[in-house]
């Protein structure tokens, strides 16, 4: 029996664990891959295949080679698009153009954040800026826009397009419009200059928001020095230490990590000014109006209406390997999909701790690859996130589907000699959340990469990941994988019940916090600031949050979501409302129901952004409550993950 067939057989029969003498659990291939350290390759003569198997990226200089190759191909495709007759080929060429740039830019966007080698990070950052500048220039290229306009202005041609092609064409036109294609030459040049300036400001703020603050060691009680990282006569504080049991450690970290940084404050204020100026230049009332066009919320007004109405005993049962086996089991039962551990080729990954998973469907075969960068290392950002490295699309030129490639990045502790990596319930939920994003990318089968996987409306993109949090706290799911790493004993149902009850205790506070974040984000992007961002923070916190503002802190300078989610942070709340509806109508009775899993994939996951978000939701639910109705707002604030 092949390894693939054997794993599928094991999953089907739920025989994920076998027990040897002394009751020590052993693991299936996927579980073992994450509960043990990888074997280091010793063959120094093997040739590097390059990061993610891209030959050019065997060294940092390869980014320039890849960028140059991509930009040359871009020139050829631009010429092709501008000269081909209007029709499906026009849209396909646009998507190929986007795909070629995204393959380099998305990969570089990840490497500049995650690679341990600063030379690689610097090369990737330069590539991001170079590709980003070209993208902004293309978004205001009049001839490119005219080629698309010739298509969309011809009703006879539009009538011949399939629904996916028509939507992608409209989305590309939308990108032109919000970039200022309708402006005269001078104003278009000004819009491009603002876009390029924002690329630099975005990068500066992102880097700064993750930089540690430092303080003289003498200012911290000596017995607490070991809690933080030492740097000569200084102590570095790179996070809030929110999980520390010591209240003094938490207070020190909060006050020092959030202490205002004048340069970063200036960067944020300039960034917000540039965003507002750009939005006004291209014809929007505010950056919030520009950012929300095409989303489920539609306008800042509706967004505000939505957001203003309403150390663990578990860890030994939640080894990383057990949780990965649980995900493997869940995905097979819902979608017929298995996670297969693969050994990466030399040079393919940026750290020896990275695991590579092939996602294999029982009948469709290989769906794509997930690189799991799960473990803490120096200089790695302390954030959990999903990166698209390569989007899926149907390749007309090869007659094959371009398989998606993504990275999941967490910051988990390393396994030790005596124990595997053990997760808190919160870590486990985050793992399920990020894997929801990954499976959105893997299970999509879109014709165009421009709308693949998570490339959809921001307030819809979080639905699959938040839905996974419901599975992560349902005993019927947990009971299939939560086993003590030493004895193999299952996690008692009573402990799961207590965990679910504990979530209700802070549920309202968490909702209130998210509303505060969302409101602050909207106010920053509503109109030109008439006072400092800190004053706005203080006023908003007093209005929307139960805990008072702490003097001499500037939390907004650590709010890195202002870059990727500018004017769209409300999306988490709205996505939670939709995920709640999907859970209650589709999975609450039976979270392992294959028919519902297939339906959910067919109606919501498969389309990426190729369909309107509300149409996907309507297609999946038996009935739909209008989004801004009182019932839906009530659903938004229902955070109990129990099956009741």
């Amino acid at each position: 029996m092949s390894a693939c067939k054997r794993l599928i057989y094991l999953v089907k029969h739920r025989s994920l664990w076998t027990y040897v003498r002394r009751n020590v659990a052993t693991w299936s291939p996927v579980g073992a891959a994450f509960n043990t350290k990888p074997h280091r390759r010793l063959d120094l003569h093997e040739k590097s295949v390059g990061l993610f198997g891209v030959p050019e990226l065997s060294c940092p200089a390869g980014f320039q080679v890849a960028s140059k190759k991509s930009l040359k191909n871009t020139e050829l495709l631009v010429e092709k698009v501008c000269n081909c007759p209007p029709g499906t080929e026009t849209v396909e060429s646009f998507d190929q153009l986007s795909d070629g740039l995204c393959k380099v830019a998305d990969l570089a966007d990840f490497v500049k954040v995650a690679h341990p080698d600063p030379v690689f990070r610097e090369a990737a950052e330069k590539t991001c800026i170079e590709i980003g500048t070209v993208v902004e220039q293309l978004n205001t290229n009049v001839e490119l826009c005219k080629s698309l306009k010739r298509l969309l202005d011809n009703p006879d041609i539009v009538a011949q397009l399939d629904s996916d092609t028509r939507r992608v064409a409209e989305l590309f036109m939308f990108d032109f419009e919000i970039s200022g294609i309708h402006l005269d030459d001078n104003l278009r040049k000004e819009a491009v200059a603002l876009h390029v300036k924002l690329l630099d400001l975005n990068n500066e703020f992102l880097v700064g928001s993750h930089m540690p603050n430092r303080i003289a060691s003498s200012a911290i009680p000596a017995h607490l020095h070991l809690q933080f990282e030492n740097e000569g006569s200084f102590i570095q504080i790179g996070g809030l230490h929110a999980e520390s049991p010591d209240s003094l450690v938490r207070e020190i970290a909060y006050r020092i990590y959030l202490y205002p940084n004048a340069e970063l404050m200036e960067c944020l204020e300039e960034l917000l000014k540039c965003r507002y100026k750009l939005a006004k230049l291209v014809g929007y009332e505010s950056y919030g109006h520009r950012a929300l066009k095409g989303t489920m919320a539609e306008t800042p007004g509706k967004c505000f209406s939505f957001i203003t109405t309403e150390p663990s005993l578990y860890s030994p049962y939640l080894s990383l390997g057990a949780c990965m086996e649980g995900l493997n089991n869940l995905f097979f039962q819902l979608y017929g999909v298995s996670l297969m551990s693969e050994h990466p080729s030399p040079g393919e990954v940026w750290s020896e701790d990275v695991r590579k998973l092939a996602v294999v469907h029982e009948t469709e075969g290989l769906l794509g690859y997930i690189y799991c960068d799960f473990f803490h290392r120096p200089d790695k950002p302390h954030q959990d996130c999903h990166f698209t490295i390569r989007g899926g699309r149907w390749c007309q030129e090869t007659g094959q589907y371009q398989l998606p490639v993504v990275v999941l990045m967490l910051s988990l502790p390393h396994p030790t000699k005596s124990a595997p990596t053990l997760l808190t319930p919160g870590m486990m939920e985050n793992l399920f959340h990020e894997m929801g994003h990954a499976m959105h990318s893997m299970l999509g089968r879109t014709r165009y990469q421009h709308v693949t996987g998570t490339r959809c409306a921001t307030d819809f993109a979080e639905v699959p990941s938040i839905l996974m949090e419901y599975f992560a706290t349902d005993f019927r799911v947990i009971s299939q994988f939560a086993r003590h790493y030493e004895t193999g004993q299952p996690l008692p149902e009573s402990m799961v019940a207590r965990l679910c009850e504990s979530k209700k205790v802070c549920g309202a506070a968490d909702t209130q916090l998210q509303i505060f974040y969302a409101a602050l984000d909207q106010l920053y992007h509503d109109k030109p600031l008439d006072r400092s961002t800190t004053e706005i923070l203080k006023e908003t916190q007093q209005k929307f949050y139960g805990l008072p503002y702490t003097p001499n802190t500037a939390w907004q300078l650590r709010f890195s979501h202002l870059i990727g989610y500018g004017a769209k942070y409300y999306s988490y709340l709205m996505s939670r409302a939709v995920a709640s509806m999907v859970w209650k109508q589709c999975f609450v009775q039976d979270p392992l129901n294959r028919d519902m899993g297939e339906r959910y994939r067919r109606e919501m996951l498969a389309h990426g952004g190729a369909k309107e978000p509300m149409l996907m939701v309507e297609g999946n639910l038996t009935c739909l409550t209008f989004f801004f109705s009182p019932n839906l707002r009530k659903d938004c604030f229902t955070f109990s993950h129990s099956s009741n």
Side-chain angles (χ1 to χ4, degrees), residues 335 337 359 361 367 404 438-445 601 605-607:
Y335 314 119
V337 166
V359 181
H361 190 272
L367 298 181
M439 294 308 291
H440 195 178
S441 296
M442 295 295 110
L443 293 174
R445 278 301 177 265
R601 178 191 180 188
L605 297 182
H607 303 289

Side-chain angles (χ1 to χ4, degrees), residues 532-552:
S532 74
T533 56
T534 301
E535 289 175 317
I536 295 173
L537 169 77
K538 180 179 178 180
E539 181 182 297
T540 308
Q541 185 165 341
Q542 289 173 341
K543 184 176 181 180
F544 289 99
Y545 195 42
L547 296 178
Y549 165 77
T550 302
N552 296 318

Side-chain angles (χ1 to χ4, degrees), residues 580-598:
S580 172
M581 295 166 67
V582 173
W583 173 257
K584 289 177 180 177
Q585 291 204 28
C586 300
F587 296 107
V588 72
Q589 297 301 323
D590 180 5
L592 305 175
N593 187 294
R594 178 64 175 270
D595 290 338
M596 283 298 180
E598 294 287 0

Side-chain angles (χ1 to χ4, degrees), residues 51-257:
L51 289 172
F52 298 102
V54 179
E56 293 90 344
L57 300 185
S58 298
C59 63
F63 271 106
Q64 189 60 36
V65 176
S67 179
K68 186 175 181 180
K69 181 179 177 181
S70 174
L71 294 179
K72 184 167 183 60
N73 189 49
T74 295
E75 292 177 6
L76 297 174
L77 282 168
V78 168
E79 184 178 354
K80 178 182 177 181
V81 171
C82 292
N83 292 293
C84 71
T88 299
E89 185 181 0
T90 306
V91 183
E92 290 174 344
S93 297
F94 261 94
D95 196 63
Q96 290 173 29
L97 178 61
S98 174
D99 182 53
L101 291 168
C102 285
K103 281 179 182 175
V104 179
D106 288 344
L107 196 157
D109 195 45
F110 167 73
V111 171
K112 76 174 185 181
V113 170
H115 204 288
D117 186 340
V119 182
F120 259 104
R121 294 200 301 268
E122 183 179 351
E125 184 178 322
K126 288 180 180 178
T127 295
C128 284
I129 294 173
E130 183 177 21
I131 298 291
T133 301
V134 171
V135 169
E136 300 306 339
Q137 292 170 345
L138 292 175
N139 283 340
T140 53
N141 184 308
V142 175
E143 295 305 313
L144 260 183
C145 183
K146 283 181 179 178
S147 69
L148 192 59
K149 192 171 177 59
R150 283 195 299 270
L151 183 154
L152 290 172
D153 286 350
N154 190 321
D156 293 333
I157 296 177
V158 170
Q160 296 174 17
L161 302 178
D162 62 84
S163 59
D164 284 2
T165 301
R166 180 174 179 174
R167 174 161 173 77
V168 170
E170 291 169 345
L171 288 172
F172 276 121
M173 182 56 73
F174 175 70
D175 290 340
F176 280 122
E177 291 170 352
I178 65 172
S179 297
I181 195 68
H182 54 287
L183 304 174
D184 62 36
D185 288 348
N186 289 332
L187 291 179
R188 269 201 313 275
K189 289 178 182 177
E190 185 179 350
V192 171
L194 282 170
H195 274 295
V196 172
K197 184 177 181 179
L198 279 169
L199 288 174
D200 291 333
L201 289 170
N202 288 346
N203 186 66
E204 182 182 346
F205 185 79
L206 274 178
V207 171
S209 69
H210 295 297
M211 290 290 289
N213 274 343
R214 66 177 191 166
I215 190 171
S217 301
S218 57
I220 303 295
H223 71 283
L224 295 179
H225 286 189
L226 291 176
Q227 300 288 335
F228 307 106
E229 186 173 337
N230 286 289
E231 187 189 61
S233 59
F234 291 90
I235 283 178
Q236 279 197 353
I237 299 180
L240 295 177
H241 291 256
E243 295 188 2
S244 173
D246 190 321
S247 61
L248 183 56
V249 169
R250 297 196 301 272
E251 181 179 358
I252 289 171
Y254 189 92
R255 291 183 179 277
I256 296 173
Y257 185 62

Side-chain angles (χ1 to χ4, degrees), residues 283-439:
Y284 290 88
E285 185 178 336
S286 70
Y287 186 84
H289 285 83
R290 179 180 181 268
L292 296 183
K293 187 173 181 180
T295 65
M296 290 190 286
E298 297 179 338
T299 66
K302 287 186 178 180
C303 174
F304 253 114
S305 174
F306 174 72
I307 64 177
T308 57
T309 309
E310 300 208 1
S312 179
L313 295 174
Y314 295 84
S315 293
Y317 298 90
L318 300 175
S319 72
L320 178 57
C323 293
M324 291 303 296
E325 288 192 346
L327 286 163
N328 188 37
N329 193 16
L330 177 63
F331 294 150
F332 188 82
Q333 292 182 77
L334 288 180
Y335 314 119
V337 166
S338 296
L339 305 176
M340 311 294 297
S341 179
E342 287 194 3
H343 287 292
S345 300
E348 186 178 354
V349 296
W350 49 101
S351 171
E352 65 177 18
D353 289 326
V354 175
R355 273 56 162 188
K356 179 183 179 182
L357 295 177
V359 181
V360 182
H361 190 272
E362 59 185 346
T363 58
E364 298 171 31
L366 182 62
L367 298 181
Y369 293 99
I370 302 172
Y371 290 83
C372 300
D373 187 356
F374 284 174
F375 301 104
H376 172 77
R377 60 176 177 272
D379 297 325
K380 180 181 175 181
H382 293 275
Q383 61 186 69
D384 298 341
C385 46
H386 161 274
F387 291 85
T388 298
I389 301 300
R390 182 177 70 201
R393 73 178 180 103
W394 177 255
C395 298
Q396 197 72 29
E397 57 271 31
T398 63
Q400 295 181 326
Y401 195 79
Q402 176 174 287
L403 297 179
V405 176
V406 304
V407 173
L408 293 189
M409 190 164 74
L410 307 176
S411 190
L412 302 177
H414 288 269
T416 66
K417 291 182 178 179
S418 59
T421 295
L422 302 177
L423 309 186
T424 65
M427 291 176 180
M428 185 261 286
E429 275 192 50
N430 287 347
L431 171 62
F432 272 62
H433 178 103
E434 298 303 334
M435 192 61 78
H437 284 309
M439 294 308 291

